[in-house]
Amino acid sequence: MSDTDGKKPLGLRGRPGGGNVKQSFSHGRTKNVVVETKRKRVVVPKSGAAGKSGGGTAGGDPSRRPAGISDAEMERRLKALQAAKANEEAEAKQRAADERQREEERERRRAEAEAKEREEREREEAIRAKEAEEKRKREEASKPKPAPAPEAVPGQPEEPRGAGKPSSAPRKVERDRGNDRDDRGNRKGGGDAAGRRAGKLTVNQALSGRDGGRHRSVAAMKRKQERMRQKAMGGAQEREKIVRDVQVPETIMVSELANRMAERVADVVKSLMKMGMMVTQNQSIDADTAELIVEEFGHRIQRVSDADVEQVITGVEDSDQDLRPRPPVITIMGHVDHGKTSLLDAIRNANVTAGEAGGITQHIGAYQVKTDSGALLSFLDTPGHAAFTSMRSRGAQVTDIVVLVVAADDSVMPQTIEAINHAKAAEVPMIVAINKCDKPEANPDKVRTELLQHEVIVEKMSGDVQDVEVSAVTGKGLDELLEAIALQAEILELKANPDRAASGAVIEAQLDVGRGPVATVLVQNGTLRQGDIFVVGEQWGKVRALVNDKGDRVKEAGPSVPVEVLGLNGTPEAGDVLNVVETEAQAREIAEYREQAAKDKRAAAGAATTLDQLLAKAKADETVAELPILVKTDVQGSSEAIIQAMEKIGNDEVRVRVLHSGVGAITETDIGLAEASGAPVIGFNVRANAPARSSANQKGVEIRYYSVIYDLVDDVKAAASGLLSAEVRENFIGYAEIKEVFKVSGVGKVAGCLVTEGVARREAGVRLLRDNVVIHEGTLKTLKRFKDEVKEVQSGQECGMAFENYEDIRPGDVIEIFEREEVERKLD
Ligand code: GDP
């Protein structure tokens, strides 16, 4: 301050007009200072300048500075002024903000009240709907012009004021406009009032005008109210929902799903838990579950079932002119022992001997025969329903016609019915082959009548299902059967385009010692050629050779032709679909993608444990012990046979569970899975590859090799038996009767007994029976013969007994003495 004081006289000197002047500031504040005239004159404008363009220049301009004021003083004054100004501004802002808030609150209340009123009015209006509509029509007809007016002034806050006049139609437009602005205002944080006013006024209009015309639904009003409430609460704008299109593949990791929805992982996990799915963010869930979650979060799901990589094999519809007739594919079904295999062999052999010399038949899972009339028929050489259903369940609809074999000496049996149901479910036409008609006791008509009960009405019973009496043994009726099939095929008009990249289904696949993985593929469309690059299930390859059902090498195979395909990189599974693709890279990419997808799916299946499942499992765990195993086999058939055999092992307490089964060598993946579940790996006619062997050694996973199913079953049975809890058997070893009861100090009550039967043993268990009712079970504290503690007392002898922790004994009670024995059990 001393500095300032010292300079003031200088200022007085320089400016004689100085004196004691009352300074007044813009907001009513006054101040008496000596040099105020100068300050007022010079500084204030400067501060104004400083306010506009920053204090730096104002303070540093000595030419406009009053004499006698130092730089420092100047700066202080400037700062003081700026601060005052800033204060004023802040105050003004605050006031404005408060005012705005108050107004918003008022608006909100008004809107709410109006909305309520409006709801009531709408109800009234609904009653007068007819009348109102007519009125509106009249009004609209008479005042069509004002309609575009509001459109001309979009976004103007004044617009609603003008809306006092217009008719109902523009009012609606305005309302919507107001709304729009509201939304926009929401995001920008400004223009709210205008938007609201627009909305409000029109609502007023709607209420007072009773135009009866178009008005907003209650839901729309509620939405608006909600928006306002959110606005009033502030900060809600950011949370406004953005609905996203969420792409979901067949399985998706929880964290990835959250990411794609732009939601918090924790929230997603929470909603999964609410659904009973106990998962962590790193677990995968399937698309169905994901869909529920996506919907819950209000997004739209886009399921991408096939990944982009697969798209190269989809699409391309065949045009009608490209389609050529193709042979039908036939599956023979029927009850066990009704002659399916015999019939298949008979058809094949009759044909082979007729056509080929030598007739060496090779079973590749399917074969083709030619009827006398020249029609080609493709038979699937895997009788039974398992093959049919497993193919179908894998999405390979291969069969065109089912031949239902029913033995004439046995008629309709359970599996016959099953076969009928399968064929019906697959919507595949049936032909009934009544077999074993050579037998004297054969009664084909009985078969026909019984089939009626299962809604199979054969032609002889005036139905439309063809029936043929055959004998696989004598060959009777076989040609007739083939013709019947050819006829049925004609009706079906089966067609395919031989001039396109082949696609087909794997009928059978195996790991051949000499030839590597081999798959029998039934070409379904297109033509498969040597050198073609293909993907089949999770495997891929390049056709090295094609072998037909007669064992001949062929260069190509067209629609409905079964061929063995060599050149695979791994063994696919029956039912897998083969597709020819253009490049090796594509094939590999698709195969890899599928392998990963399958892995994910398995993981998801494991992870997707609902609470119910967990509970069920916990319950089951109490009673049923499970022996998990992994089975790898050389061919699909043995795999199925083993699974069936395994399912049969076990009872209510022990069960064998085949965790995974597949065709081909035992791989590291198998070992990994086995380790995770503590399961042994069983190789049936296959071996573990080197990495799998070392991995198994490392992880302590047991690998067992078998080539005879019975050995395998016996071993698994023995292992499963080990899981059976030992049975506890009770053997009664004696009875004693209490004659007297003594009190012995230090011991308590002692029973003077006579062993009436068997022996009494010190270590045995005892039960106290009174009137043949068990009143206590426990052990003995003492067993005395005269004064001595003994181990055993024989029948007919007297002894003293005292119970451990039990005193209530009376003369006449009977003591039952028993021993427990643990007996190991075996599965039968
Ligand atoms: P699948 O279990 O249905 O495959 O029946 P199979 O083909 O194994 O036949 C079962 C039994 O019936 C075998 O002993 C056959 O010899 C016999 N069999 C099959 N077809 C005929 C037939 O047409 N006539 C007679 N007499 N026996 C037959």
Coordinates of all heavy atoms in Angstrom, one line a residue, residues 630-675:
L630 N -14.8 -91.1 -22.3 CA -14.7 -90.5 -23.7 C -14.4 -91.7 -24.6 O -13.6 -92.5 -24.3 CB -13.5 -89.6 -23.7 CG -13.8 -88.1 -24.1 CD1 -14.0 -87.4 -22.8 CD2 -12.7 -87.6 -24.9
V631 N -15.1 -91.7 -25.7 CA -15.0 -92.8 -26.6 C -14.6 -92.4 -28.0 O -15.2 -91.5 -28.6 CB -16.3 -93.6 -26.7 CG1 -16.2 -94.8 -27.7 CG2 -16.8 -94.1 -25.4
K632 N -13.5 -92.9 -28.5 CA -13.1 -92.6 -29.9 C -13.1 -94.0 -30.6 O -12.6 -95.0 -30.1 CB -11.7 -92.0 -30.0 CG -11.7 -90.6 -29.4 CD -12.7 -89.6 -30.1 CE -12.2 -89.1 -31.5 NZ -11.3 -88.1 -31.5
T633 N -13.7 -94.0 -31.8 CA -13.8 -95.3 -32.5 C -13.3 -95.1 -34.0 O -13.1 -94.0 -34.4 CB -15.2 -95.8 -32.5 OG1 -16.0 -94.8 -33.1 CG2 -15.7 -96.1 -31.1
D634 N -13.2 -96.3 -34.6 CA -12.8 -96.3 -36.0 C -13.9 -95.9 -36.9 O -13.7 -95.2 -37.9 CB -12.2 -97.6 -36.4 CG -13.1 -98.8 -36.1 OD1 -14.1 -98.6 -35.3 OD2 -12.8 -99.9 -36.5
V635 N -15.1 -96.4 -36.6 CA -16.3 -96.0 -37.5 C -17.4 -95.6 -36.6 O -17.5 -95.9 -35.4 CB -16.7 -97.3 -38.3 CG1 -15.7 -97.6 -39.4 CG2 -17.0 -98.4 -37.5
Q636 N -18.3 -94.9 -37.3 CA -19.5 -94.3 -36.6 C -20.3 -95.4 -35.9 O -20.8 -95.3 -34.8 CB -20.3 -93.5 -37.6 CG -21.4 -92.8 -37.0 CD -21.0 -91.5 -36.2 OE1 -19.9 -91.0 -36.4 NE2 -21.8 -91.1 -35.3
G637 N -20.4 -96.5 -36.7 CA -21.3 -97.6 -36.2 C -20.8 -98.1 -34.8 O -21.6 -98.3 -33.9
S638 N -19.5 -98.3 -34.7 CA -19.0 -98.9 -33.4 C -19.2 -97.8 -32.3 O -19.5 -98.2 -31.2 CB -17.6 -99.4 -33.5 OG -16.9 -98.7 -34.4
S639 N -19.1 -96.6 -32.7 CA -19.3 -95.6 -31.7 C -20.7 -95.6 -31.2 O -20.9 -95.6 -29.9 CB -19.0 -94.2 -32.3 OG -19.5 -93.2 -31.6
E640 N -21.7 -95.8 -32.1 CA -23.0 -95.8 -31.6 C -23.3 -97.1 -30.8 O -24.0 -97.0 -29.8 CB -24.0 -95.8 -32.8 CG -24.3 -94.4 -33.2 CD -24.8 -94.2 -34.7 OE1 -25.2 -95.2 -35.2 OE2 -24.6 -93.1 -35.2
A641 N -22.7 -98.2 -31.2 CA -22.9 -99.4 -30.5 C -22.4 -99.3 -29.1 O -23.0 -99.8 -28.1 CB -22.2 -100.6 -31.2
I642 N -21.2 -98.7 -29.0 CA -20.6 -98.6 -27.7 C -21.4 -97.6 -26.8 O -21.7 -98.0 -25.6 CB -19.1 -98.0 -27.8 CG1 -18.2 -99.1 -28.4 CG2 -18.6 -97.6 -26.4 CD1 -16.9 -98.6 -28.8
I643 N -21.9 -96.6 -27.3 CA -22.7 -95.7 -26.5 C -24.0 -96.4 -26.0 O -24.3 -96.3 -24.9 CB -23.1 -94.4 -27.4 CG1 -21.9 -93.6 -27.7 CG2 -24.2 -93.6 -26.6 CD1 -22.2 -92.4 -28.6
Q644 N -24.6 -97.2 -26.9 CA -25.7 -97.9 -26.5 C -25.4 -98.9 -25.4 O -26.1 -99.0 -24.4 CB -26.3 -98.7 -27.7 CG -27.3 -97.8 -28.4 CD -27.9 -98.5 -29.6 OE1 -27.7 -99.7 -29.7 NE2 -28.5 -97.8 -30.5
A645 N -24.3 -99.6 -25.5 CA -23.9 -100.5 -24.5 C -23.6 -99.8 -23.2 O -24.0 -100.3 -22.1 CB -22.7 -101.3 -25.0
M646 N -23.0 -98.7 -23.3 CA -22.7 -97.9 -22.1 C -23.9 -97.4 -21.4 O -24.0 -97.4 -20.1 CB -21.8 -96.7 -22.4 CG -20.4 -97.0 -23.0 SD -19.4 -97.9 -21.8 CE -19.1 -99.4 -22.6
E647 N -24.9 -97.1 -22.2 CA -26.1 -96.6 -21.5 C -26.8 -97.7 -20.7 O -27.5 -97.4 -19.8 CB -27.1 -96.1 -22.6 CG -26.8 -94.6 -22.9 CD -27.5 -94.2 -24.2 OE1 -28.3 -94.9 -24.8 OE2 -27.2 -93.0 -24.6
K648 N -26.6 -98.9 -21.2 CA -27.2 -100.0 -20.5 C -26.5 -100.3 -19.2 O -27.2 -100.9 -18.3 CB -27.2 -101.2 -21.4 CG -28.3 -101.1 -22.5 CD -28.4 -102.5 -23.2 CE -29.2 -102.3 -24.5 NZ -28.6 -102.9 -25.6
I649 N -25.3 -100.0 -19.1 CA -24.6 -100.3 -17.8 C -25.1 -99.3 -16.7 O -25.4 -98.2 -17.0 CB -23.0 -100.0 -18.0 CG1 -22.5 -101.0 -19.0 CG2 -22.3 -100.2 -16.6 CD1 -21.0 -100.8 -19.3
G650 N -25.2 -99.9 -15.6 CA -25.6 -99.0 -14.5 C -27.0 -99.2 -14.0 O -27.8 -100.0 -14.6
N651 N -27.3 -98.6 -12.8 CA -28.6 -98.8 -12.2 C -29.0 -97.4 -11.6 O -28.5 -96.4 -12.1 CB -28.5 -99.9 -11.2 CG -27.4 -99.7 -10.2 OD1 -26.9 -98.6 -10.0 ND2 -27.0 -100.7 -9.5
D652 N -29.8 -97.5 -10.6 CA -30.2 -96.2 -10.0 C -29.1 -95.4 -9.4 O -29.2 -94.2 -9.1 CB -31.3 -96.5 -9.0 CG -32.6 -97.0 -9.6 OD1 -32.6 -96.9 -10.9 OD2 -33.5 -97.5 -9.0
E653 N -28.0 -96.2 -9.0 CA -27.0 -95.5 -8.2 C -25.8 -95.1 -9.1 O -25.1 -94.2 -8.8 CB -26.5 -96.4 -7.1 CG -27.6 -96.7 -6.1 CD -27.2 -97.9 -5.2 OE1 -26.2 -97.7 -4.5 OE2 -27.9 -98.9 -5.2
V654 N -25.5 -95.9 -10.1 CA -24.3 -95.7 -10.9 C -24.7 -95.6 -12.3 O -25.6 -96.3 -12.8 CB -23.3 -96.9 -10.7 CG1 -22.0 -96.6 -11.5 CG2 -23.1 -97.2 -9.3
R655 N -24.0 -94.7 -13.0 CA -24.3 -94.5 -14.4 C -23.0 -94.3 -15.2 O -22.1 -93.6 -14.6 CB -25.2 -93.3 -14.5 CG -26.0 -93.1 -15.7 CD -27.1 -92.2 -15.6 NE -26.8 -90.9 -15.0 CZ -27.6 -90.1 -14.4 NH1 -28.9 -90.5 -14.3 NH2 -27.3 -88.9 -14.0
V656 N -23.0 -94.7 -16.4 CA -21.8 -94.4 -17.2 C -22.3 -93.3 -18.2 O -23.3 -93.4 -18.8 CB -21.4 -95.6 -18.1 CG1 -20.2 -95.3 -19.0 CG2 -21.0 -96.8 -17.1
R657 N -21.5 -92.3 -18.2 CA -21.9 -91.2 -19.1 C -20.8 -91.0 -20.1 O -19.6 -90.7 -19.8 CB -22.0 -89.9 -18.2 CG -22.7 -88.8 -19.0 CD -23.3 -87.8 -18.0 NE -22.2 -86.9 -17.6 CZ -22.0 -85.7 -18.1 NH1 -22.7 -85.3 -19.1 NH2 -21.0 -84.9 -17.6
V658 N -21.2 -91.1 -21.4 CA -20.3 -90.9 -22.5 C -20.2 -89.4 -22.7 O -21.2 -88.8 -23.2 CB -20.7 -91.6 -23.7 CG1 -19.7 -91.4 -24.9 CG2 -20.9 -93.1 -23.5
L659 N -19.2 -88.8 -22.3 CA -19.0 -87.3 -22.4 C -18.9 -86.9 -23.9 O -19.5 -85.9 -24.3 CB -17.7 -86.9 -21.8 CG -17.7 -86.8 -20.3 CD1 -16.3 -86.4 -19.8 CD2 -18.7 -85.9 -19.7
H660 N -18.2 -87.7 -24.6 CA -18.0 -87.3 -26.0 C -17.6 -88.6 -26.7 O -17.0 -89.5 -26.2 CB -16.8 -86.3 -26.0 CG -16.3 -86.0 -27.4 ND1 -17.1 -85.4 -28.3 CD2 -15.2 -86.4 -28.1 CE1 -16.4 -85.3 -29.5 NE2 -15.3 -85.9 -29.3
S661 N -18.1 -88.7 -27.9 CA -17.7 -89.8 -28.7 C -17.4 -89.3 -30.1 O -18.0 -88.3 -30.6 CB -18.8 -90.8 -28.8 OG -19.9 -90.3 -29.4
G662 N -16.5 -89.9 -30.8 CA -16.2 -89.5 -32.1 C -15.5 -90.5 -32.9 O -15.1 -91.6 -32.3
V663 N -15.3 -90.3 -34.2 CA -14.5 -91.2 -35.0 C -13.1 -90.6 -35.3 O -13.0 -89.4 -35.5 CB -15.3 -91.4 -36.3 CG1 -14.5 -92.2 -37.3 CG2 -16.6 -92.0 -36.1
G664 N -12.1 -91.5 -35.2 CA -10.8 -91.0 -35.5 C -9.9 -91.2 -34.3 O -10.3 -91.6 -33.2
A665 N -8.6 -90.8 -34.5 CA -7.6 -91.0 -33.5 C -7.9 -90.1 -32.3 O -8.7 -89.2 -32.3 CB -6.2 -90.5 -34.1
I666 N -7.3 -90.6 -31.2 CA -7.5 -89.8 -29.9 C -6.6 -88.6 -30.0 O -5.4 -88.7 -30.3 CB -7.2 -90.6 -28.7 CG1 -8.1 -91.8 -28.6 CG2 -7.2 -89.8 -27.4 CD1 -7.7 -92.9 -27.7
T667 N -7.1 -87.4 -29.8 CA -6.3 -86.2 -30.0 C -6.1 -85.5 -28.7 O -6.7 -85.8 -27.7 CB -7.0 -85.2 -31.0 OG1 -8.3 -84.9 -30.4 CG2 -7.3 -85.8 -32.3
E668 N -5.3 -84.4 -28.7 CA -5.1 -83.6 -27.5 C -6.4 -83.0 -27.0 O -6.5 -82.9 -25.8 CB -4.1 -82.5 -27.9 CG -2.7 -82.7 -27.4 CD -1.9 -81.5 -27.7 OE1 -1.7 -81.2 -28.9 OE2 -1.3 -80.9 -26.7
T669 N -7.3 -82.6 -27.9 CA -8.5 -82.1 -27.4 C -9.3 -83.1 -26.6 O -9.9 -82.7 -25.6 CB -9.4 -81.7 -28.7 OG1 -8.6 -81.4 -29.7 CG2 -10.4 -80.6 -28.4
D670 N -9.3 -84.3 -27.0 CA -10.0 -85.4 -26.3 C -9.4 -85.5 -24.9 O -10.1 -85.6 -23.9 CB -9.8 -86.7 -27.0 CG -10.5 -86.7 -28.3 OD1 -11.5 -86.0 -28.5 OD2 -10.0 -87.4 -29.2
I671 N -8.0 -85.4 -24.8 CA -7.4 -85.5 -23.5 C -7.7 -84.4 -22.6 O -8.0 -84.6 -21.4 CB -5.8 -85.6 -23.7 CG1 -5.4 -86.7 -24.7 CG2 -5.1 -85.7 -22.4 CD1 -5.7 -88.1 -24.2
G672 N -7.8 -83.2 -23.2 CA -8.2 -82.0 -22.5 C -9.5 -82.2 -21.9 O -9.7 -81.9 -20.7
L673 N -10.5 -82.6 -22.7 CA -11.8 -82.8 -22.2 C -11.9 -83.9 -21.1 O -12.6 -83.7 -20.1 CB -12.7 -83.2 -23.4 CG -14.2 -83.3 -23.1 CD1 -14.8 -82.0 -22.6 CD2 -14.9 -83.7 -24.4
A674 N -11.1 -84.9 -21.3 CA -11.1 -86.0 -20.4 C -10.6 -85.6 -19.0 O -11.1 -85.9 -18.0 CB -10.3 -87.2 -20.9
E675 N -9.5 -84.8 -19.1 CA -8.9 -84.3 -17.9 C -9.9 -83.5 -17.1 O -10.0 -83.6 -15.9 CB -7.6 -83.5 -18.2 CG -6.8 -83.1 -17.0 CD -6.1 -81.8 -17.1 OE1 -6.3 -81.1 -18.1 OE2 -5.3 -81.5 -16.2

